[in-house]
Amino acid sequence: MSTAGDAVTDSALPDEDGAGRQRPLRLGRLTLPDGLRPYLAPLLLYGVTKLVGLTVFAVLLEAAGEYRKKEPRYGGGAHWWDVLSTWDGWWYLQVAEKGYDPRPLEKLDPGGLFTVKQNSVAFFPLYPGLIRGVSEITGLGLFGAGLLVSVLASFVAAAGIYAVVSTLAGVRAGTVAAGLWAVVPGAGVEWAVYSESLFVAIAAWCCYAVMRGNWMAAGLLAFVAGLNRPTSAALIGAVGLAALVTLARPESRRAHGVSGPVYAMVAAPLGLLTYVAWVGLSMGDLTAYFTLQRDGWAHYFDFGAYTLDVLGNVAIGRSDYLFAFNVPDLIAVQVVLALPFLVALMLRRRPPLVLVAYTLASIVTVLGTQQMFGNTPRYLLPCFPLLLAPAAAMGRLRWPSLAVFFTTAALASGWYAHYVMFELGIP
């Protein structure tokens, strides 16, 4: 297995004029720089595929009409697109509009599921901060700004996934990987007021920076990721481990130096630690963030007890467990059962250490935490390295076969990746 400290260079692209250089790609009057040209195909595939899935989602929502009967905060609205800003999206918009109100934890009456009142500080500041900034700059409302941030970030994420996979398995595989990320279960939140697209954009380019030995960029991106989601701990740990291995090996230490890996190790966790510490100090309890997650949302690490409980219940056709949603849970079970196979295939490709550590840590975090099981595909959305082996295999197919696959998957994703999550469960 190669380590993250081993610098990896991009595959050389074929010259068009035989003179050792490329001609800029011209689209009418638009000329794309050489550096952006490789990203055109994967981003086009990603965008078209996502647009098809979103269209199917809209048709299904209108056909059911149930969203009109629900409260705007809980999956409802006047228009189908309002659904994209409900549930967690409502909280992000509240933070973008009003900021935080970090009061001491408020106890609730005993006997209910939650024992403390929910508070917006459970939602990290980077994404709502960008929403507010984009709204101020563009004049868009907060909802429009939130969608714009998510959509743009999703394209940056797709480009990062392409960069990582194409470096390891070739351009064609990278393009396929970008398209696969548009149709994986859980992909419905990529174009919604949710922070997943932003996080994956940061994580993909952070991993790519480690692969290229750009430790300054990797440390900075890991720091920023820590301001976006608590699950950034997996990325932070992966960057730190890759830096440590680089320093421990004399040959890689000579190649990369000491200051870069040390900087990455020190800078990576500061964003996450700073926000969690601020919440604790502001609420008068250093463990306030974790208490809020456990007692206000029933989300906490239980070493996989909840996951095993759900799998056991679903296996015998029962739903005697917390947060039971039949259809989303069935899809989540299939995703969980596929994980060992996907991990084994990923490891066979011998990816850099940073990708292995990041993926495995993310999976352990998701499966080891009590949370809404039906959302497992969404929680696993950042595990983009799992796409490496399928993309490499599919990259050997001809484009007509790939066109059939992505057309079918795009249409189906409007149901399993969008409608099931937002309408049949709680995203």
Side-chain angles (χ1 to χ4, degrees), residues 21-346:
R21 58 185 175 85
Q22 295 175 323
R23 294 174 180 172
L25 178 64
R26 299 182 182 275
L27 301 175
R29 295 180 178 273
L30 177 65
T31 301
L32 288 180
D34 289 345
L36 297 180
R37 181 176 181 179
Y39 296 94
L40 179 62
L43 294 186
L44 183 62
L45 176 61
Y46 173 79
V48 171
T49 305
K50 281 299 302 177
L51 188 60
V52 171
L54 188 67
T55 301
V56 173
F57 174 50
V59 171
L60 292 175
L61 279 180
E62 291 293 347
E66 295 296 323
Y67 72 90
R68 300 187 188 94
K69 306 174 186 177
K70 300 178 181 179
E71 293 185 33
R73 178 178 171 181
Y74 301 115
H79 310 93
W80 71 264
W81 54 82
D82 293 327
V83 176
L84 300 174
S85 64
T86 57
W87 299 106
D88 284 6
W90 181 87
W91 282 102
Y92 282 122
L93 294 179
Q94 289 293 302
V95 176
E97 179 183 2
K98 303 174 183 177
Y100 292 113
D101 185 19
R103 301 176 183 179
L105 293 171
E106 299 181 36
K107 296 289 184 179
L108 298 175
D109 294 333
L113 173 61
F114 306 122
T115 58
V116 302
K117 185 177 180 181
Q118 294 176 344
N119 190 295
S120 61
V121 296
F123 296 84
F124 276 49
L126 180 62
Y127 180 59
L130 287 175
I131 292 175
R132 182 61 179 264
V134 170
S135 178
E136 295 287 344
I137 293 172
T138 63
L140 290 172
L142 294 176
F143 172 49
L147 284 181
L148 180 61
V149 171
S150 291
V151 171
L152 292 179
S154 75
F155 280 96
V156 176
I161 293 170
Y162 166 82
V164 170
V165 175
S166 64
T167 300
L168 300 174
V171 170
R172 196 181 185 91
T175 301
V176 172
L180 288 176
W181 195 63
V183 299
V184 293
V189 297
E190 292 172 12
W191 286 9
V193 186
Y194 276 66
S195 63
E196 271 76 7
S197 287
L198 180 59
F199 179 73
V200 177
I202 298 170
W205 285 107
C206 180
C207 290
Y208 183 70
V210 173
M211 291 167 56
R212 297 300 301 268
N214 190 342
W215 295 104
M216 301 296 284
L220 178 60
L221 287 170
F223 166 82
V224 173
L227 298 173
N228 188 55
R229 294 182 64 83
T231 51
S232 61
L235 178 66
I236 293 167
V239 171
L241 179 61
L244 188 62
V245 170
T246 298
L247 292 174
R249 294 182 171 181
E251 64 277 9
S252 60
R253 186 169 61 248
R254 286 192 297 268
H256 295 268
V258 174
S259 60
V262 170
Y263 165 81
M265 293 173 62
V266 173
L270 292 182
L272 176 62
L273 294 177
T274 299
Y275 182 70
V276 171
W278 175 81
V279 171
L281 293 172
S282 300
M283 302 183 77
D285 179 2
L286 289 179
T287 63
Y289 180 84
F290 305 101
T291 303
L292 178 61
Q293 285 284 11
R294 180 186 183 100
D295 297 341
W297 267 273
H299 287 187
Y300 60 92
F301 193 79
D302 65 353
F303 298 93
Y306 173 72
T307 299
L308 291 175
D309 184 34
V310 175
L311 293 176
N313 271 272
V314 173
I316 60 176
R318 295 179 181 173
S319 55
D320 186 21
Y321 54 91
L322 190 63
F323 304 131
F325 296 93
N326 292 335
V327 178
D329 291 350
L330 283 174
I331 293 177
V333 166
Q334 296 177 60
V335 172
V336 170
L337 293 178
L339 283 177
F341 183 61
L342 291 172
V343 170
L345 289 178
M346 179 190 71

